[in-house]
mmCIF file with all atom_site columns, all heavy atoms in Angstrom:
data_model
loop_
_atom_site.group_PDB
_atom_site.id
_atom_site.type_symbol
_atom_site.label_atom_id
_atom_site.label_alt_id
_atom_site.label_comp_id
_atom_site.label_asym_id
_atom_site.label_entity_id
_atom_site.label_seq_id
_atom_site.pdbx_PDB_ins_code
_atom_site.Cartn_x
_atom_site.Cartn_y
_atom_site.Cartn_z
_atom_site.occupancy
_atom_site.B_iso_or_equiv
_atom_site.pdbx_formal_charge
_atom_site.auth_seq_id
_atom_site.auth_comp_id
_atom_site.auth_asym_id
_atom_site.auth_atom_id
_atom_site.pdbx_PDB_model_num
ATOM 1  N N   . TYR L 1 9  ? 3.535  19.564 -8.861 1.00 0.00 ? 9  TYR L N   1
ATOM 2  C CA  . TYR L 1 9  ? 3.388  19.476 -7.414 1.00 0.00 ? 9  TYR L CA  1
ATOM 3  C C   . TYR L 1 9  ? 4.502  18.531 -6.942 1.00 0.00 ? 9  TYR L C   1
ATOM 4  O O   . TYR L 1 9  ? 4.582  17.412 -7.403 1.00 0.00 ? 9  TYR L O   1
ATOM 5  C CB  . TYR L 1 9  ? 2.052  18.844 -7.046 1.00 0.00 ? 9  TYR L CB  1
ATOM 6  C CG  . TYR L 1 9  ? 0.878  19.776 -7.081 1.00 0.00 ? 9  TYR L CG  1
ATOM 7  C CD1 . TYR L 1 9  ? -0.051 19.708 -8.106 1.00 0.00 ? 9  TYR L CD1 1
ATOM 8  C CD2 . TYR L 1 9  ? 0.681  20.701 -6.042 1.00 0.00 ? 9  TYR L CD2 1
ATOM 9  C CE1 . TYR L 1 9  ? -1.147 20.575 -8.158 1.00 0.00 ? 9  TYR L CE1 1
ATOM 10 C CE2 . TYR L 1 9  ? -0.431 21.542 -6.099 1.00 0.00 ? 9  TYR L CE2 1
ATOM 11 C CZ  . TYR L 1 9  ? -1.351 21.503 -7.145 1.00 0.00 ? 9  TYR L CZ  1
ATOM 12 O OH  . TYR L 1 9  ? -2.412 22.320 -7.173 1.00 0.00 ? 9  TYR L OH  1
ATOM 13 N N   . LEU L 1 10 ? 5.258  18.978 -5.949 1.00 0.00 ? 10 LEU L N   1
ATOM 14 C CA  . LEU L 1 10 ? 6.194  18.058 -5.319 1.00 0.00 ? 10 LEU L CA  1
ATOM 15 C C   . LEU L 1 10 ? 5.427  17.083 -4.458 1.00 0.00 ? 10 LEU L C   1
ATOM 16 O O   . LEU L 1 10 ? 4.301  17.442 -3.990 1.00 0.00 ? 10 LEU L O   1
ATOM 17 C CB  . LEU L 1 10 ? 7.187  18.852 -4.431 1.00 0.00 ? 10 LEU L CB  1
ATOM 18 C CG  . LEU L 1 10 ? 8.058  19.897 -5.140 1.00 0.00 ? 10 LEU L CG  1
ATOM 19 C CD1 . LEU L 1 10 ? 9.025  20.503 -4.128 1.00 0.00 ? 10 LEU L CD1 1
ATOM 20 C CD2 . LEU L 1 10 ? 8.813  19.285 -6.300 1.00 0.00 ? 10 LEU L CD2 1
ATOM 21 N N   . SER L 1 11 ? 5.968  15.933 -4.212 1.00 0.00 ? 11 SER L N   1
ATOM 22 C CA  . SER L 1 11 ? 5.344  14.995 -3.265 1.00 0.00 ? 11 SER L CA  1
ATOM 23 C C   . SER L 1 11 ? 5.740  15.466 -1.839 1.00 0.00 ? 11 SER L C   1
ATOM 24 O O   . SER L 1 11 ? 6.637  16.253 -1.659 1.00 0.00 ? 11 SER L O   1
ATOM 25 C CB  . SER L 1 11 ? 5.817  13.604 -3.491 1.00 0.00 ? 11 SER L CB  1
ATOM 26 O OG  . SER L 1 11 ? 7.188  13.497 -3.128 1.00 0.00 ? 11 SER L OG  1
ATOM 27 N N   . GLU L 1 12 ? 5.028  14.892 -0.828 1.00 0.00 ? 12 GLU L N   1
ATOM 28 C CA  . GLU L 1 12 ? 5.372  15.258 0.525  1.00 0.00 ? 12 GLU L CA  1
ATOM 29 C C   . GLU L 1 12 ? 6.831  14.942 0.857  1.00 0.00 ? 12 GLU L C   1
ATOM 30 O O   . GLU L 1 12 ? 7.522  15.685 1.569  1.00 0.00 ? 12 GLU L O   1
ATOM 31 C CB  . GLU L 1 12 ? 4.491  14.487 1.490  1.00 0.00 ? 12 GLU L CB  1
ATOM 32 C CG  . GLU L 1 12 ? 3.283  15.281 1.920  1.00 0.00 ? 12 GLU L CG  1
ATOM 33 C CD  . GLU L 1 12 ? 2.426  14.592 2.952  1.00 0.00 ? 12 GLU L CD  1
ATOM 34 O OE1 . GLU L 1 12 ? 2.946  13.723 3.691  1.00 0.00 ? 12 GLU L OE1 1
ATOM 35 O OE2 . GLU L 1 12 ? 1.238  14.905 3.011  1.00 0.00 ? 12 GLU L OE2 1
ATOM 36 N N   . GLU L 1 13 ? 7.342  13.846 0.266  1.00 0.00 ? 13 GLU L N   1
ATOM 37 C CA  . GLU L 1 13 ? 8.718  13.439 0.562  1.00 0.00 ? 13 GLU L CA  1
ATOM 38 C C   . GLU L 1 13 ? 9.705  14.422 -0.041 1.00 0.00 ? 13 GLU L C   1
ATOM 39 O O   . GLU L 1 13 ? 10.811 14.653 0.499  1.00 0.00 ? 13 GLU L O   1
ATOM 40 C CB  . GLU L 1 13 ? 9.020  12.044 -0.030 1.00 0.00 ? 13 GLU L CB  1
ATOM 41 C CG  . GLU L 1 13 ? 8.301  10.906 0.688  1.00 0.00 ? 13 GLU L CG  1
ATOM 42 C CD  . GLU L 1 13 ? 6.802  10.924 0.457  1.00 0.00 ? 13 GLU L CD  1
ATOM 43 O OE1 . GLU L 1 13 ? 6.370  11.294 -0.643 1.00 0.00 ? 13 GLU L OE1 1
ATOM 44 O OE2 . GLU L 1 13 ? 6.046  10.586 1.415  1.00 0.00 ? 13 GLU L OE2 1
ATOM 45 N N   . GLU L 1 14 ? 9.339  15.047 -1.161 1.00 0.00 ? 14 GLU L N   1
ATOM 46 C CA  . GLU L 1 14 ? 10.258 15.982 -1.833 1.00 0.00 ? 14 GLU L CA  1
ATOM 47 C C   . GLU L 1 14 ? 10.231 17.348 -1.216 1.00 0.00 ? 14 GLU L C   1
ATOM 48 O O   . GLU L 1 14 ? 11.092 18.177 -1.483 1.00 0.00 ? 14 GLU L O   1
ATOM 49 C CB  . GLU L 1 14 ? 9.834  16.107 -3.315 1.00 0.00 ? 14 GLU L CB  1
ATOM 50 C CG  . GLU L 1 14 ? 10.100 14.861 -4.154 1.00 0.00 ? 14 GLU L CG  1
ATOM 51 C CD  . GLU L 1 14 ? 9.422  14.932 -5.513 1.00 0.00 ? 14 GLU L CD  1
ATOM 52 O OE1 . GLU L 1 14 ? 8.305  15.518 -5.631 1.00 0.00 ? 14 GLU L OE1 1
ATOM 53 O OE2 . GLU L 1 14 ? 9.983  14.376 -6.464 1.00 0.00 ? 14 GLU L OE2 1
ATOM 54 N N   . MET L 1 15 ? 9.243  17.633 -0.321 1.00 0.00 ? 15 MET L N   1
ATOM 55 C CA  . MET L 1 15 ? 9.158  18.975 0.253  1.00 0.00 ? 15 MET L CA  1
ATOM 56 C C   . MET L 1 15 ? 10.380 19.278 1.111  1.00 0.00 ? 15 MET L C   1
ATOM 57 O O   . MET L 1 15 ? 10.886 18.427 1.833  1.00 0.00 ? 15 MET L O   1
ATOM 58 C CB  . MET L 1 15 ? 7.874  19.076 1.064  1.00 0.00 ? 15 MET L CB  1
ATOM 59 C CG  . MET L 1 15 ? 6.645  19.414 0.214  1.00 0.00 ? 15 MET L CG  1
ATOM 60 S SD  . MET L 1 15 ? 5.133  19.479 1.207  1.00 0.00 ? 15 MET L SD  1
ATOM 61 C CE  . MET L 1 15 ? 5.514  20.919 2.273  1.00 0.00 ? 15 MET L CE  1
ATOM 62 N N   . PRO L 1 16 ? 10.854 20.538 1.038  1.00 0.00 ? 16 PRO L N   1
ATOM 63 C CA  . PRO L 1 16 ? 12.039 20.956 1.790  1.00 0.00 ? 16 PRO L CA  1
ATOM 64 C C   . PRO L 1 16 ? 11.808 20.766 3.307  1.00 0.00 ? 16 PRO L C   1
ATOM 65 O O   . PRO L 1 16 ? 10.738 21.049 3.810  1.00 0.00 ? 16 PRO L O   1
ATOM 66 C CB  . PRO L 1 16 ? 12.224 22.406 1.445  1.00 0.00 ? 16 PRO L CB  1
ATOM 67 C CG  . PRO L 1 16 ? 11.419 22.642 0.189  1.00 0.00 ? 16 PRO L CG  1
ATOM 68 C CD  . PRO L 1 16 ? 10.310 21.625 0.227  1.00 0.00 ? 16 PRO L CD  1
ATOM 69 N N   . LYS L 1 17 ? 12.843 20.295 3.982  1.00 0.00 ? 17 LYS L N   1
ATOM 70 C CA  . LYS L 1 17 ? 12.778 20.165 5.447  1.00 0.00 ? 17 LYS L CA  1
ATOM 71 C C   . LYS L 1 17 ? 13.589 21.275 6.118  1.00 0.00 ? 17 LYS L C   1
ATOM 72 O O   . LYS L 1 17 ? 13.679 21.324 7.336  1.00 0.00 ? 17 LYS L O   1
ATOM 73 C CB  . LYS L 1 17 ? 13.400 18.791 5.874  1.00 0.00 ? 17 LYS L CB  1
ATOM 74 C CG  . LYS L 1 17 ? 12.824 17.567 5.133  1.00 0.00 ? 17 LYS L CG  1
ATOM 75 C CD  . LYS L 1 17 ? 11.544 17.096 5.717  1.00 0.00 ? 17 LYS L CD  1
ATOM 76 C CE  . LYS L 1 17 ? 11.047 15.822 5.003  1.00 0.00 ? 17 LYS L CE  1
ATOM 77 N NZ  . LYS L 1 17 ? 10.592 16.074 3.608  1.00 0.00 ? 17 LYS L NZ  1
#
Side-chain angles (χ1 to χ4, degrees):
Chain L
Y9 281 104
L10 300 183
S11 71
E12 266 184 24
E13 290 70 34
E14 291 168 325
M15 279 177 64
K17 310 277 184 291

